[in-house]
Amino acid sequence: MKKFFEIVAAKNIWSFLLLALVGSVFNFPGTTALPLMDRDEPKFAQATWEMMETRQFTIPYFNQQYRFDKPPLTYWWMRLHYHLLGKTELAARLHSIIAGILTGYVIYLFGSFLYSRLAGLLSGLAWLTCLQVLVHSRLCVADMPMLLGVTITMYAVARLLFSEAEPRRFGSGFWLLVGGLVLGFLAKGPVAWIIPGLALLLWRWPMGQSGVPWRRLQPFSSLLIAIAVVGAWGIPALIETKGAYWDSGVGEHVVKRGLSPFNGRINVPFVFYLGSGILSLLPWTAFLPGAITLVPSKLKSDRKRSFLTAWFLAPFLVFSLYATQLPHYILPGFPGVMLLLFSRGGLTGADTTFRKRWFWSMVGLMGLVSLLVLSAGLFRWFPAPLESINRLVLLAGMIITAIGVLLPIFIEVVRRKVSRWPLLLIPVVLATGITHVLSTSIREVHPITMLQKEGVFADNDEVTYFAQGFAEPSWVFYEWNGKPWILGGTVEQGAAFLEEPGTNRAGTFLTEEWRIGEVAILAGFKGKEVPHLTDQRERVSELFNNGKYQITKISGLNIARTTWVSIWFVKPVAP
């Protein structure tokens, strides 16, 4: 097996093809079946479609209103796939899959430059099999393009600073640096510059790397050109929106999120990412002691290792102090740890007492987690009306078992005896197959796809819609007819909307909502009814259950709020 990787690593094209194959095998299963989730996915996907409809390239719109969350690169990239594949989930997510694979290839080039071609190839493959990468490579968001930009930036910096020969001014390394800076910023804004900048500061001072030839970076020239390119989009955008793009995009979505905890979560610096990082880095969490060292003398004596370590730590420091804490925020540092894992051209496994204890502690921890999740699904901990959640929980537990328990054990076995490499196919096939089943199962309980199956949107071309209670942006993506949805409001406002004469109108109304969590499980153990998070049955029934409306009732999963909902689709009966 090692001989195979050495042969492939010797050629750039073969390495790219292998990385593309592995990235496709892991990312495509389930991607077409999984409905757009959360709130960002449908907003990105729909904003791109509306930009196409209005032939707009500068300002994204969602539901015919400005959307300032991110710069335009993701919309431009997605737009290309819409032209090729139409408005589908796959077209909306394809840019993330491609960006993830390209990031793996840049990691291969990075490792080839710093260490060896084999180290680069194995690092790229490790990246593509990392849990958090697998999650975000199949989401319609801006993170993977931004990660590609950051990785290119760090690769260019390494080429310029570690090259034995003096790089040519304004040579290929310089333009690669500029390209990475532009790509990262246009994908997700200033964070794509903050992380490399902080990594270099950490590398210089706490890690004691003096005598670095910083002039090779041509920092003023590279930044000036990058700012000019970004400004070619940014200045017209600011002018067209009278500064609102900056006020909302930076003030609302960067500064405010940095000061306001997400969903009221208690912000404990560093603790959140120490816990979430264990899950995010699966299956490679069990091998981290062979990659990361924080001993000052070792870091100071090994410039390449300290450079990659600083890169890995930078997002931890930035986002641990950030009020909004989400697991994927530390993803920009993951390429650095993948390169550290395979810097010797092979994986450093459980070869010392400490590493053995760490390895089996992590495998044991994931075993306990998977056992808990599997038990919840097998023994149906979620009672009615949430019983459909048990199947999803069971499938999630199987995926955790495959990636968090079986895969690291089999990797260690193969590391010790390469001829046993077919063992790796077992967790890979399990994980990819179960992922597809899980994605299909989620689609089956998605409220919008359930209503689509009921045929309530068959004549939606002239209909104006109102969504109350379950007012998620997915409505706009899946049932867009050029007329803006009215998202939010009260039941009474929805009733008044439907009673207005002269137009074709319909509405969706939340009747019941339950939180999916420990409260529901405890209620089931005690034999009690699951308490409602929201209960509007009486008011909705009073206003609409009177013979004047055609009513369709469904119950499904609200992924954005992690709740189970009951919804009425209401449409006035034609006179």
Side-chain angles (χ1 to χ4, degrees):
M1 190 66 174
K2 184 177 181 181
K3 186 67 175 177
F4 167 77
F5 284 128
E6 289 175 344
I7 293 172
V8 173
K11 297 288 185 180
N12 287 356
I13 185 62
W14 293 351
S15 297
F16 174 76
L17 291 175
L18 179 60
L19 291 165
L21 176 63
V22 171
S24 299
V25 166
F26 274 97
N27 286 298
F28 280 105
T31 300
T32 56
L34 189 68
L36 297 184
M37 300 195 302
D38 203 50
R39 288 171 180 155
D40 284 339
E41 270 205 295
K43 285 184 177 180
F44 272 106
Q46 177 61 23
T48 300
W49 188 256
E50 292 185 41
M51 289 177 76
M52 291 173 64
E53 287 186 328
T54 58
R55 298 183 179 181
Q56 170 68 260
F57 283 90
T58 307
I59 311 297
Y61 288 81
F62 170 79
N63 206 26
Q64 294 189 1
Q65 296 180 343
Y66 285 140
R67 183 172 193 260
F68 297 130
D69 287 40
K70 299 293 182 291
L73 176 66
T74 301
Y75 307 108
W76 294 342
W77 198 337
M78 202 187 312
R79 189 172 186 155
L80 172 63
H81 300 149
Y82 277 176
H83 280 299
L84 295 173
L85 303 174
K87 189 183 181 185
T88 64
E89 286 103 341
L90 177 60
R93 293 174 169 138
L94 190 55
H95 71 280
S96 287
I97 295 176
I98 294 173
I101 292 171
L102 290 176
T103 302
Y105 182 65
V106 176
I107 292 171
Y108 157 72
L109 297 175
F110 206 143
S112 299
F113 172 76
L114 284 183
Y115 300 111
S116 68
R117 287 180 177 270
L118 180 60
L121 179 60
L122 295 176
S123 299
L125 291 171
W127 160 264
L128 291 172
T129 56
C130 179
L131 180 59
Q132 192 60 245
V133 174
L134 292 174
V135 170
H136 265 75
S137 286
R138 62 176 71 235
L139 294 182
C140 174
V141 289
D143 294 273
M144 295 312 292
M146 182 270 288
L147 278 161
L148 176 59
V150 169
T151 307
I152 292 174
T153 298
M154 295 302 289
Y155 172 45
V157 169
R159 278 185 50 178
L160 291 168
L161 295 183
F162 290 109
S163 177
E164 294 182 3
E166 183 71 19
R168 185 166 57 89
R169 285 180 59 82
F170 299 102
S172 60
F174 172 84
W175 292 111
L176 190 65
L177 174 59
V178 171
L181 291 170
V182 170
L183 181 68
F185 194 102
L186 287 178
K188 208 169 178 180
V191 67
W193 293 4
I194 292 172
I195 290 170
L198 179 59
L200 293 178
L201 289 175
L202 290 173
W203 187 52
R204 170 60 184 90
W205 277 286
M207 297 184 184
Q209 296 300 326
S210 58
V212 177
W214 300 109
R215 55 180 177 74
R216 292 184 177 184
L217 299 179
Q218 297 177 243
F220 295 109
S221 299
S222 57
L223 282 173
L224 186 62
I225 295 173
I227 291 170
V229 176
V230 171
W233 157 77
I235 293 173
L238 289 174
I239 293 173
E240 185 173 338
T241 62
K242 298 180 181 178
Y245 214 125
W246 176 269
D247 294 339
S248 180
V250 176
E252 178 75 17
H253 297 287
V254 177
V255 177
K256 188 175 180 180
R257 286 187 181 184
L259 300 174
S260 303
F262 183 72
N263 284 350
R265 181 188 296 156
I266 298 175
N267 180 14
V268 181
F270 305 107
V271 174
F272 175 80
Y273 290 115
L274 289 175
S276 66
I278 290 174
L279 289 172
S280 295
L281 282 163
L282 290 176
W284 305 108
T285 309
F287 302 96
L288 287 181
I292 298 173
T293 178
L294 297 179
V295 178
S297 59
K298 291 184 178 180
L299 290 174
K300 189 172 183 179
S301 63
D302 190 337
R303 280 198 167 186
K304 294 177 181 179
R305 177 165 293 275
S306 62
F307 179 83
L308 296 174
T309 303
W311 180 9
F312 175 57
L313 292 177
F316 276 92
L317 296 179
V318 170
F319 292 109
S320 287
L321 302 176
Y322 204 69
T324 300
Q325 295 185 338
L326 295 172
H328 66 276
Y329 279 2
I330 58 173
L331 254 177
F334 282 18
V337 79
M338 298 306 157
L339 288 163
L340 287 168
L341 276 169
F342 293 94
S343 59
R344 297 176 180 87
L347 183 63
T348 302
D351 294 334
T352 65
T353 301
F354 173 72
R355 290 172 184 171
K356 287 178 182 178
R357 289 175 178 173
W358 175 273
F359 178 88
W360 290 111
S361 294
M362 291 299 102
V363 171
L365 176 62
M366 289 301 103
L368 289 174
V369 171
S370 61
L371 181 61
L372 182 65
V373 178
L374 287 170
S375 298
L378 281 171
F379 299 107
R380 306 183 70 81
W381 287 6
F382 288 98
L386 298 117
E387 62 268 18
S388 296
I389 296 298
N390 292 304
R391 172 178 167 82
L392 305 182
V393 171
L394 177 61
L395 292 168
M398 294 170 69
I399 293 174
I400 295 172
T401 302
I403 295 178
V405 180
L406 296 180
L407 192 52
I409 290 176
F410 290 170
I411 288 172
E412 178 63 12
V413 170
V414 172
R415 188 191 69 82
R416 293 177 180 275
K417 194 170 183 180
V418 178
S419 62
R420 295 176 178 173
W421 67 265
L423 285 173
L424 296 176
L425 297 177
I426 297 174
V428 169
V429 171
L430 279 175
T432 53
I434 297 167
T435 297
H436 178 75
V437 176
L438 177 60
S439 300
T440 303
S441 299
I442 291 174
R443 191 176 195 87
E444 290 173 353
V445 294
H446 192 275
I448 298 173
T449 56
M450 294 174 76
L451 284 172
Q452 286 176 328
K453 289 182 180 179
E454 295 290 336
V456 299
F457 298 110
D459 57 347
N460 77 331
D461 288 348
E462 300 300 326
V463 181
T464 303
Y465 293 101
F466 184 101
Q468 189 277 332
F470 179 74
E472 303 299 336
S474 299
W475 290 118
V476 186
F477 173 81
Y478 282 104
E479 290 302 330
W480 176 252
N481 60 6
K483 299 177 184 294
W485 276 71
I486 300 173
L487 300 175
T490 65
V491 177
E492 289 75 16
Q493 288 171 331
F497 169 79
L498 294 182
E499 290 173 359
E500 292 184 19
T503 56
N504 198 355
R505 296 166 183 256
T508 63
F509 295 87
L510 179 73
T511 56
E512 298 174 89
E513 184 176 25
W514 301 267
R515 177 71 67 191
I516 300 171
E518 68 280 359
V519 173
I521 294 174
L522 289 173
F525 286 162
K526 295 176 181 179
K528 298 180 179 180
E529 289 188 1
V530 180
H532 283 88
L533 189 62
T534 305
D535 187 356
Q536 300 183 139
R537 286 174 294 177
E538 184 176 342
R539 187 56 177 151
V540 172
S541 180
E542 178 186 342
L543 289 171
F544 302 115
N545 201 12
N546 51 24
K548 297 180 181 179
Y549 299 94
Q550 174 188 338
I551 298 172
T552 304
K553 303 176 183 179
I554 58 99
S555 293
L557 173 65
N558 183 354
I559 301 171
R561 284 170 52 85
T562 323
T563 59
W564 190 261
V565 295
S566 289
I567 295 172
W568 284 19
F569 179 88
V570 179
K571 188 174 183 180
V573 175

